[in-house]
Amino acid sequence: MTKERLEAYRNNKTEILSLKYILNNRWQSETMIGNDVILDYSKGYPIPQSIVGFDQEKYERLQERDLKRKERLEKECEEVEKFVEDIEDTQLHCIFRMYYIDGIHPVNQMQVAEQMHMERSTISKKIDKYLQLSHKSHQSQL
């Protein structure tokens, strides 16, 4: 697990909510209205006729694209949540949960330090050390 993946967690959660809304409401959007030209041969020669309607192909293409992105982001969030939940040290678990997972607004290390009754630099060192150790143990397992 990297700091970048952990820090992307909240943004990914926000994007998942946005994608859910888009996936459920795209069909109502005016951007799904398309037009095409057909040739009308009713008079024996081609007369171009414009047809306006719902662009099903575009809708399905965009839905598939956004659904894949949503599923990928959900998988990424699940991995981050599992990583944090698997931290056995209670103090570290609380630090990681407060700093990376909980809260709507980004929590800074100073706020975590205040709640944990520690120095901000101690919080930073604990996070860095744990990530380095977990990275080394992951590398040794490979």
Side-chain angles (χ1 to χ4, degrees):
M1 186 63 57
T2 64
K3 267 189 174 180
E4 292 78 22
R5 286 179 70 190
L6 287 164
E7 289 170 355
Y9 174 82
R10 278 185 285 225
N11 290 335
N12 290 348
K13 287 298 246 186
T14 302
E15 187 174 351
I16 289 169
L17 291 175
S18 176
L19 287 169
K20 281 181 183 178
Y21 178 81
I22 290 168
L23 288 165
N24 289 330
N25 295 293
R26 176 175 279 127
W27 64 274
Q28 298 174 3
S29 171
E30 290 181 12
T31 62
M32 291 294 104
I33 303 297
N35 62 14
D36 204 355
V37 175
I38 63 167
L39 298 175
D40 180 4
Y41 288 92
S42 63
K43 295 189 178 179
Y45 54 91
I47 301 173
Q49 299 288 325
S50 179
I51 296 184
V52 177
F54 187 79
D55 192 340
Q56 186 70 29
E57 289 177 15
K58 180 180 178 184
Y59 173 80
E60 289 172 0
R61 185 179 67 250
L62 293 175
Q63 287 290 96
E64 183 178 341
R65 179 199 67 190
D66 289 345
L67 186 60
K68 284 180 183 177
R69 175 138 180 92
K70 180 178 157 276
E71 288 169 354
R72 188 176 58 75
L73 290 172
E74 286 173 336
K75 185 175 184 271
E76 178 75 21
C77 287
E78 286 173 13
E79 290 172 4
V80 169
E81 289 167 1
K82 183 177 179 349
F83 174 79
V84 172
E85 290 304 316
D86 289 346
I87 297 173
E88 293 178 7
D89 183 314
T90 307
Q91 190 179 51
L92 270 172
H93 175 79
C94 288
I95 290 169
F96 272 79
R97 182 137 199 96
M98 280 191 281
Y99 190 62
Y100 292 110
I101 306 289
D102 290 342
I104 297 170
H105 303 289
V107 178
N108 63 37
Q109 288 181 358
M110 193 65 189
Q111 292 168 314
V112 173
E114 287 172 8
Q115 289 187 355
M116 298 296 293
H117 306 288
M118 304 171 119
E119 295 292 322
R120 191 214 53 84
S121 61
T122 306
I123 298 294
S124 180
K125 288 175 186 174
K126 285 182 172 286
I127 290 172
D128 291 341
K129 185 176 179 181
Y130 186 79
L131 289 174
Q132 287 173 352
L133 289 174
S134 69
H135 183 69
K136 285 180 184 176
S137 69
H138 179 70
Q139 290 295 333
S140 66
Q141 291 174 0
L142 297 176

